Amino acid sequence: MDLPSDFNALFPDRISVLDQNLDAGRKPHGRLDAQTQIATVIDELGKASAKAQQLPAPITSASKLQSNRHHLYLLKDGERNGGRGVAVGYLKVGCKKLFLLDQQGAHVETEPLCVLDFYVTESLQRHGYGLELFHFMLEHKKVKAEQMAYDRPSSKFLAFLEKHFDLKHSVPQVNNFVVFDGFFRNRSAVQLRKAQPKRTEGEIKPYSLMEREAIRVWLPGATSTVVISPAEALGSYWRNS
Ligand code: COA
């Protein structure tokens, strides 16, 4: 990794909250400006995360962070590297408009806070750093783990959620997001129940099959309900999210 050597100069806090501005709160000494160095750190960690999850391309990079309303929590260990600190990992979250299936199989429109990417450097995994990042984020966002949605969680992450938050019973979905039992409890009225497609109790059909089923929904600006496929509904909301 071609990373800045002095993390403590670049990241004053143990956990930095980064957004579109790529501002960790302090200007470092040296030739490159702080933003460029922070971008390098995010890009390199993003590549390592993609490799660890066997993804074809990074889902986290400085340019992606600059063009989305996401928050990236970056954890350093300031004691390592001869007291100059090292980047330990990051947790990236953001809100997404999602169509989810509740326990009864009814489609619900939601816009939950989602975990979009989560990575701790290989050699430092299982040392409690992931939990530290997660606790910090929950406190910062004033949210509970069960109220969040998880984008394609890996087996390690699922084990993490079960161990630390007792999240083990997921509600089956037709997209890549995972939510747990408590997600649909005490949701606010902001979530608009859109449609209740006919289905056998407990049956969740694959996305490809669902595409052929029509559902009746309210669309923004419409004066009455219209019939569209769940896939159209999902596509429309993905494009707008
Ligand atoms: N195999 C199975 N479970 C693992 C694991 C592994 N290699 N690494 C972490 N876990 C789970 C376990 O529940 C573990 O508890 P245990 O050691 O008693 O079994 C717990 O996480 C440890 O918690 P903590 O030390 O706080 O987590 P962490 O610092 O290792 O961070 C991840 C958790 C998922 C961020 C980290 O393992 C990681 O970066 N994995 C690779 C990338 C990834 O899968 N990211 C998720 C993207 S969706």
Side-chain angles (χ1 to χ4, degrees), residues 51-65:
K51 196 173 165 197
Q53 297 175 64
Q54 296 171 329
L55 301 174
I59 50 174
T60 297
S61 66
S63 63
K64 285 185 202 290
L65 192 59

Side-chain angles (χ1 to χ4, degrees), residues 53 118-120 125-128 130-131 154 156 159 163-164:
Q53 297 175 64
F118 190 18
Y119 175 69
V120 168
Q125 288 174 14
R126 290 184 138 161
H127 284 64
L131 185 60
S154 65
K156 288 182 184 181
K163 176 183 171 135
H164 296 305

Side-chain angles (χ1 to χ4, degrees), residues 152-226:
R152 281 166 296 184
S154 65
S155 53
K156 288 182 184 181
F157 189 21
L158 288 171
F160 171 96
L161 289 171
E162 180 167 353
K163 176 183 171 135
H164 296 305
F165 298 97
D166 202 25
L167 295 178
K168 49 185 172 221
H169 302 299
S170 62
V171 182
Q173 300 299 322
V174 290
N175 54 28
N176 289 322
F177 284 83
V178 169
V179 292
F180 294 90
D181 264 357
F183 183 88
F184 296 100
R185 243 179 276 132
N186 306 322
R187 304 300 290 184
S188 73
V190 175
Q191 268 115 26
L192 192 61
R193 195 162 290 258
K194 286 282 182 183
Q196 195 119 14
K198 275 191 206 160
R199 63 178 69 257
T200 314
E201 200 179 337
E203 179 193 7
I204 302 297
K205 292 187 177 174
Y207 183 76
S208 55
L209 291 181
M210 284 184 54
E211 229 175 346
R212 296 188 208 112
E213 288 184 325
I215 59 170
R216 186 167 283 280
V217 299
W218 283 94
L219 287 179
T223 51
S224 61
T225 56
V226 292

